[in-house]
Amino acid sequence: MEERNKTLGEFIIEKQEDFQYSSGELSRLINSIRLAAKVVNYKVNKAGLVDIVGAVGAQNIQGEDQQKLDVFANDTFIQTLINREIVCGIASEESDDFITIKGKDECHNNKYVVLMDPLDGSSNIDVNVSVGTIFSVFRRVTPIGTPVTIEDFLQPGVNQVAAGYVIYGTSTMLVYTTGRGVNGFTLNPAIGTFYLSHPNMQFPKDGNIYSINEGNYVHFPQGVKDYIKYCQLEEGDRPYTSRYIGSLVSDIHRNMIKGGIYIYPTSSKAPSGKLRLLYECNPMAFLAEQAGGKASDGFGRIMEIQPTELHQRVPFFCGSQNMVEKAEEFMENANNNL
Ligand code: P6P
């Protein structure tokens, strides 16, 4: 009998056996992400039908208008993680400061912290373009039993124990890694079960898609301008195709399957770049590297950056290894010619 696709639940149990001394907490954490993803998916797919689309009139710390679904997604993931008593702290794009989670008896015995962008690309919600949730998981570095501190969140990406995204698109997928490769699960909405649809996802070493908001071209660093012209030049396998959805999860997901590079560089409008290191770039970088790709700030490895603040922004070059390395070459050459 043809082996049916494994469910996410079966996969988590199977993989937990790989972690000899695992307490099962990380498995329970991934399971809570799974539940929250299904709840958010339901709302995202109903957005046009119920009064949940549009701004709430508030702004988040980024100064961005909070869409109602942003707030719903943020509350759903936070509440699900709290209810399962798995984490001792949460940081979110939608919350100015980190959130301390108390477990039973007001204690802080859980060992993981989660950082997340609960609904990335939310400006696309009103125009029915796919959006995503991004999450990153670390072990706390301060003593278990004490309240979390900012140090638990300001860890370099190399310390991540898990990372992933949910893409609410033509189908809803959960893609994640615990440091042993990347696996993608597609939701069967009829029964509310995620099935293993993309085992061992790999970033092709090369690609012919470049994803960048060329509307900002005049504001880009010279190295980025030079790389864009390289992509457009008629030579060998070029010109490449330009594909930019304006939804990080969607652009990275497509490029991971087809090969490609996503770039959000610094510009005169965004001197440090736009994307946030802790809950966008680090998790995407972990996934990219686990899938054989690369993630850089244009000069060095994203996951080696020592964070200094919760919502800090960095320039982001992520995708097929050879494409990121070529872009880094242009950045270095331009830097050397300053
Ligand atoms: P721009 C969405 O707001 C986001 O954080 C990413 O998902 C997306 O890739 C980028 O910003 C789009 O930014 O400036 O090109 O509209």
Side-chain angles (χ1 to χ4, degrees):
M1 180 178 79
E2 186 185 323
E3 188 191 335
R4 65 175 176 75
N5 282 341
K6 213 168 276 158
T7 69
L8 175 55
E10 290 161 350
F11 183 87
I12 290 171
I13 292 165
E14 182 187 288
K15 291 305 172 191
Q16 179 173 319
E17 281 145 24
D18 293 349
F19 292 86
Q20 202 176 2
Y21 303 109
S22 79
S23 63
E25 268 186 285
L26 188 57
S27 299
R28 283 171 46 218
L29 198 159
I30 301 293
N31 270 317
S32 67
I33 299 274
R34 171 177 61 159
L35 173 61
K38 287 195 266 192
V39 174
V40 172
N41 174 64
Y42 177 77
K43 288 288 187 186
V44 165
N45 285 322
K46 295 282 175 294
L49 301 174
V50 297
D51 176 31
I52 192 118
V53 174
V56 290
Q59 284 209 331
N60 61 20
I61 188 168
Q62 328 296 337
E64 295 164 348
D65 291 338
Q66 275 189 319
Q67 302 289 334
K68 287 180 182 173
L69 270 174
D70 276 320
V71 175
F72 175 81
N74 193 49
D75 296 349
T76 300
F77 277 93
I78 289 174
Q79 202 50 53
T80 309
L81 287 165
I82 291 175
N83 293 348
R84 296 282 181 99
E85 299 217 345
I86 307 157
V87 298
C88 52
I90 300 172
S92 167
E93 183 199 46
E94 300 303 330
S95 309
D96 297 357
D97 202 353
F98 63 84
I99 300 162
T100 300
I101 310 291
K102 293 185 182 127
K104 289 191 186 68
D105 319 322
E106 293 291 291
C107 61
H108 309 273
N109 287 331
N110 300 322
K111 62 183 174 227
Y112 294 114
V113 295
V114 172
L115 300 93
M116 65 180 177
D117 183 353
L119 206 64
D120 178 75
S122 52
S123 55
N124 289 308
I125 294 166
D126 292 347
V127 293
N128 208 5
V129 167
S130 53
V131 293
T133 296
I134 310 170
F135 64 91
S136 171
V137 184
F138 291 86
R139 272 186 203 81
R140 67 179 300 174
V141 292
T142 53
I144 286 193
T146 63
V148 285
T149 67
I150 190 66
E151 282 74 22
D152 293 306
F153 298 93
L154 298 184
Q155 299 186 51
V158 289
N159 291 3
Q160 291 175 96
V161 293
Y165 59 79
V166 184
I167 178 168
Y168 310 98
T170 46
S171 60
T172 293
M173 282 189 69
L174 172 60
V175 177
Y176 81 97
T177 183
T178 55
R180 295 171 181 233
V182 177
N183 291 283
F185 300 81
T186 299
L187 178 67
N188 177 338
I191 55 177
T193 301
F194 281 100
Y195 284 93
L196 180 62
S197 53
H198 295 66
N200 190 28
M201 294 179 80
Q202 287 294 308
F203 244 118
K205 290 298 178 202
D206 279 300
N208 63 7
I209 295 172
Y210 70 103
S211 307
I212 188 169
N213 185 343
E214 293 188 61
N216 298 322
Y217 180 85
V218 296
H219 303 292
F220 285 155
Q222 189 55 47
V224 172
K225 290 178 178 175
D226 295 342
Y227 180 66
I228 290 174
K229 289 307 164 201
Y230 168 84
C231 293
Q232 296 170 342
L233 195 62
E234 186 95 34
E235 188 181 66
D237 59 346
R238 285 169 285 128
Y240 294 154
T241 295
S242 173
R243 285 284 182 276
Y244 189 71
I245 299 176
S247 178
L248 174 67
V249 171
S250 306
D251 280 315
I252 298 276
H253 184 72
R254 179 205 51 245
N255 290 352
M256 183 153 43
I257 292 171
K258 292 180 175 252
I261 184 171
Y262 171 98
I263 302 176
Y264 207 104
T266 60
S267 71
S268 44
K269 294 197 296 182
S272 302
K274 175 183 182 184
L275 300 187
R276 294 77 165 181
L277 171 60
L278 294 186
Y279 41 79
E280 289 175 330
C281 300
N282 267 337
M284 285 308 191
F286 192 17
L287 288 162
E289 290 194 4
Q290 284 290 312
K294 194 162 183 176
S296 154
D297 63 0
F299 300 99
R301 192 180 175 206
I302 283 285
M303 294 215 290
E304 287 176 359
I305 297 174
Q306 175 53 53
T308 53
E309 53 185 70
L310 211 48
H311 300 287
Q312 93 182 66
R313 300 172 192 268
V314 290
F316 194 50
F317 297 63
C318 180
S320 295
Q321 179 179 328
N322 297 345
M323 297 182 85
V324 174
E325 288 174 354
K326 176 59 79 175
E328 287 178 321
E329 259 179 56
F330 280 98
M331 294 299 285
E332 187 175 354
N333 293 341
N335 228 27
N336 295 339
N337 297 330
L338 281 178

